[in-house]
Amino acid sequence: MDKQPPRIVSSLAELRSARLLFDGKVGLVPTMGYLHEGHVSLARRAREECDHVIVSIFVNPTQFGPSEDLSTYPRDLDRDLLLLEPAGVELVWTPTPEVMYPPGFATWVEVEGLTKPLEGASRPGHFRGVTTVVSKLFNAVQPHKAYFGQKDAQQAAVIRKMTRDLDFPIEIVVCPTVRETDGLAMSSRNSYLSPDERTAAAVLFRSLSAARSAYERGERNAQSLRRIMAEVILSEPLAKMQYVSVADYDTLEELETVAGKALLSMAVFMGRTRLIDNVVLG
Ligand code: PAF
């Protein structure tokens, strides 16, 4: 396994010349930096499955709403590089906003339908920013495989759809959510939590686990599962629920009855920090 420090490039020209040196299968791990074990697990999986691994680090302004945390989003490139080196990542692409969105930029990629519910309803314009930047990353890097986390389940579904619809010859690999010992899904935004909020944040996974246990005991009524999730969230005074959902895994439409594969998901504010999580049933 290659354990050299990764090479860092910023411009599109440097990225393209470095990419040309790679023979065989190339894996891309798109990130917004401030990496954690979840990202590293994606890089390790890419390393296992591909000959070369490229990680992109870009805090994409177009996927943040006007009142969201773009200006405060955590950044620490030195720390990110230290985490990526043992995973065998060879190349890190850190484009600037000017590289990704040069003056006069006016072209957007938008997936209809799947982007409307859940995160799309709470964060208008978010997925248009994600699919636009991921298309640009795909075009620039031309990977054979691209790796995303299951924690952003709707993002993974939207990117899969975009990849199919636009004929990108790229396999989308979705990897399991990596959790802290109390079940909290790893996220760069966890760094915003105060100690009390951090303790309280375990309520998301407790809530999902309670609904999953009810499902395992035979509960198939989606509204009952939503009620179970909501009750657990409401029992935590620091948590403010934005939504809980029991949706069809493929269409993301809300279900009345769970018959096939379903996605239990939620968004919860812990103070000013918005957290999301999900589990898959069936
Ligand atoms: O999941 C993320 O970190 C981002 O949404 C992504 C896929 C890197 C696009 O900016």
Side-chain angles (χ1 to χ4, degrees):
M1 188 186 280
D2 187 356
K3 293 281 174 62
Q4 300 297 307
R7 180 174 167 209
I8 308 163
V9 295
S10 282
S11 74
L12 194 51
E14 284 172 307
L15 182 264
R16 288 203 167 126
S17 342
R19 168 68 181 88
L20 278 177
L21 300 175
F22 289 164
D23 275 337
K25 210 170 253 186
V26 172
L28 170 67
V29 182
T31 80
M32 297 208 301
Y34 211 70
L35 306 180
H36 50 69
E37 185 50 34
H39 298 110
V40 177
S41 74
L42 303 182
R44 267 197 239 105
R45 172 87 174 264
R47 180 72 274 190
E48 280 161 27
E49 298 181 352
C50 302
D51 300 301
H52 303 280
V53 180
I54 303 178
V55 171
S56 61
I57 297 181
F58 178 61
V59 182
N60 174 34
T62 65
Q63 68 187 75
F64 288 77
S67 60
E68 293 185 355
D69 54 342
L70 173 61
S71 61
T72 54
Y73 197 84
R75 293 160 167 89
D76 189 341
L77 183 60
D78 292 339
R79 181 177 163 279
D80 290 347
L81 296 174
L82 283 177
L83 286 172
L84 292 176
E85 183 175 333
V89 173
E90 291 154 285
L91 187 63
V92 175
W93 185 29
T94 58
T96 59
E98 294 70 32
V99 166
M100 291 311 256
Y101 301 108
F105 182 89
T107 304
W108 299 93
V109 176
E110 193 154 7
V111 173
E112 294 181 348
L114 268 185
T115 54
K116 293 294 168 272
L118 305 174
E119 290 301 284
S122 306
R123 305 183 67 191
H126 169 68
F127 285 118
R128 183 174 92 139
V130 170
T131 44
T132 300
V133 82
V134 171
S135 303
K136 289 179 65 84
L137 296 170
F138 283 2
N139 279 330
V141 173
Q142 309 225 338
H144 298 86
K145 291 185 164 205
Y147 295 80
F148 297 88
Q150 172 63 26
K151 194 198 131 236
D152 296 299
Q154 187 176 11
Q155 168 172 281
V158 167
I159 289 170
R160 239 192 262 113
K161 178 92 180 98
M162 175 193 84
T163 304
R164 270 199 308 272
D165 286 356
L166 296 185
D167 305 317
F168 282 112
I170 299 171
E171 184 187 334
I172 303 302
V173 183
V174 181
C175 302
T177 302
V178 178
R179 298 183 179 280
E180 305 284 358
T181 46
D182 64 356
L184 177 65
M186 289 196 183
S187 163
S188 309
R189 289 189 169 100
N190 292 349
S191 64
Y192 297 149
L193 299 169
S194 71
D196 286 348
E197 289 166 352
R198 168 63 193 84
T199 306
V203 75
L204 278 82
F205 190 58
R206 275 209 307 282
S207 156
L208 291 164
S209 303
R212 184 169 56 189
S213 301
Y215 170 83
E216 282 163 2
R217 289 193 302 272
E219 182 60 80
R220 293 294 181 270
N221 182 298
Q223 194 50 28
S224 304
L225 295 173
R226 280 181 211 106
R227 196 172 311 118
I228 290 168
M229 289 196 280
E231 276 170 10
V232 178
I233 299 293
L234 293 173
S235 72
E236 171 47 67
L238 292 182
K240 190 158 166 273
M241 188 176 94
Q242 191 171 38
Y243 67 77
V244 290
S245 157
V246 179
D248 179 87
Y249 181 78
D250 294 310
T251 64
L252 301 183
E253 281 165 17
E254 290 301 316
L255 293 170
E256 281 183 24
T257 307
V258 180
K261 210 169 168 187
L263 181 73
L264 303 187
S265 67
M266 58 178 55
V268 174
F269 277 96
M270 211 47 79
R272 295 169 60 168
T273 306
R274 185 173 182 279
L275 302 174
I276 60 171
D277 200 356
N278 68 83
V279 298
V280 179
L281 301 182

